[in-house]
Amino acid sequence: MRIRLSMARRVFCLAVFLPWTGAATAQDFEAPPVFEASDWVPADLMSGPGFEVAPQAPNDGWLNRYTITTPDGSLEVDGTEMLELRAHEMYALHALKQLEGTDEFLEAAESAATGPLDFAKNMVLSPVDTTGAVASGVGSFFENIGHSMFGGGSEDEESVVKSILGFDEIKRGYAKEFGVDPYATNPILQDELNSVSWTGFAGGIGPRAAFSPVPSGVGVAVQATSFSDSMSELVYTNTPAALKDLNRDKLAAMGVDSETAGLFLEHPKYSPTRKTFIVGALEQMSDVENRGALIEVALLAESAGDAFLWQQKAEMFAGYHANVAPSGRMIRVATDVALLTPDGLLVAMVPTDHVAWTERNEALTTRTASEQVIADAVAASGGAEVSGIELWFLSSVSPLAEENLKSRGMVSVADAKDRLSM
């Protein structure tokens, strides 16, 4: 079985910011590289209990693609950030399975399989597929082919029945103890988390009491920051409905209009976790005007992978504002968004692994925008004249890509992950 768990295969519309100085001299193209996965991934995330990352990671000009093999099937993962998250989930999955083998859980499972509890289990676990389409497909984050269809709650949220019975609270508690997202789009993890949570719920075993018998804990943790810790705590301690109210209030305080906020908060491709992290990142950027521009463009997300990339972009912007330079306002430029500093520097964030100068990427740089489009967007937003443009990348940029970006008036800032961390 092969399960598709992608971030996105088409990088965000870099073309919005190119060319800035007119047509550039034609350059040779380069083939996307194939990397050794171990050059990008720590050894303890390359393999672990029940999983192994394939040794090679082909790059598509923007993101590395990794394959994780497990006894339950293989996972294809786009991007190093998502790979690290999935590897951690595999450690958690192993610990969850260990927990199911303890005497306490075997007794609870036997009790849960009888009488009205068995009927309740069907009500709790059957109505809503927490992964489905949100875990497959890649959308068009980078080329923005079209809008998503909006309406209803996130595809990752628990059903009303689960909330009424109290199952969702128990599940969030187990997710917290094992250090995973209760709304994760990993179907293997979701199946196991649902099973353990139901047994604990039906058997009266709370998360902390259940966790103690596990002999070897969860394993390797995802890199934590004060920001991610605080946002995760909100997710663990609030229902999706409560998070929606909190996020709505925060967006209103930023001046985001109610219609835009409503569309974002009801967007089916953003889990409660993604919404909370994005709104939280924007909240960190106090004094920055027009933060709603990012919310407007984030409505274009067509998959869970797109949503994760928008979360990364929001956090990169917040990190820039906090660690590098204060920003005056956000500017919407066609189908993307940038920061405009008080001295006129336009700063765009690109959540990529390695950027190679391919024919496809060259086409993206010339297809969409022009100097006039950018100037008009800045003027329409009330910003000052642009003095320059910077592209900030989480990881590497090839020399040829950097040369071509420079010829178009762009400054590339590579390997910026640590500088933008909050």
Side-chain angles (χ1 to χ4, degrees), residues 353-409:
D353 288 322
H354 175 80
V355 179
W357 194 250
T358 63
E359 291 187 64
R360 175 170 165 267
N361 289 344
E362 193 275 339
L364 281 173
T365 66
T366 57
R367 189 188 67 182
T368 303
S370 66
E371 177 179 351
Q372 190 60 51
V373 170
I374 297 173
D376 289 346
V378 172
S381 71
E385 183 177 349
V386 175
S387 60
I389 300 177
E390 287 184 351
L391 294 178
W392 285 62
F393 300 91
L394 286 179
S395 296
S396 56
V397 179
S398 76
L400 185 59
E402 183 177 3
E403 178 185 347
N404 275 274
L405 293 174
K406 183 178 180 180
S407 73
R408 290 159 170 79

Side-chain angles (χ1 to χ4, degrees), residues 17 47 55 64 91 94 163 181 354 358 363:
F17 297 99
S47 63
N64 299 342
Y91 276 98
H94 174 69
S163 297
D181 182 357
H354 175 80
T358 63

Side-chain angles (χ1 to χ4, degrees), residues 261-277:
L263 287 172
F264 176 71
L265 295 174
E266 298 295 335
H267 199 303
K269 302 304 180 184
Y270 287 91
S271 70
T273 302
R274 298 282 171 256
K275 293 169 186 172
T276 299
F277 272 70

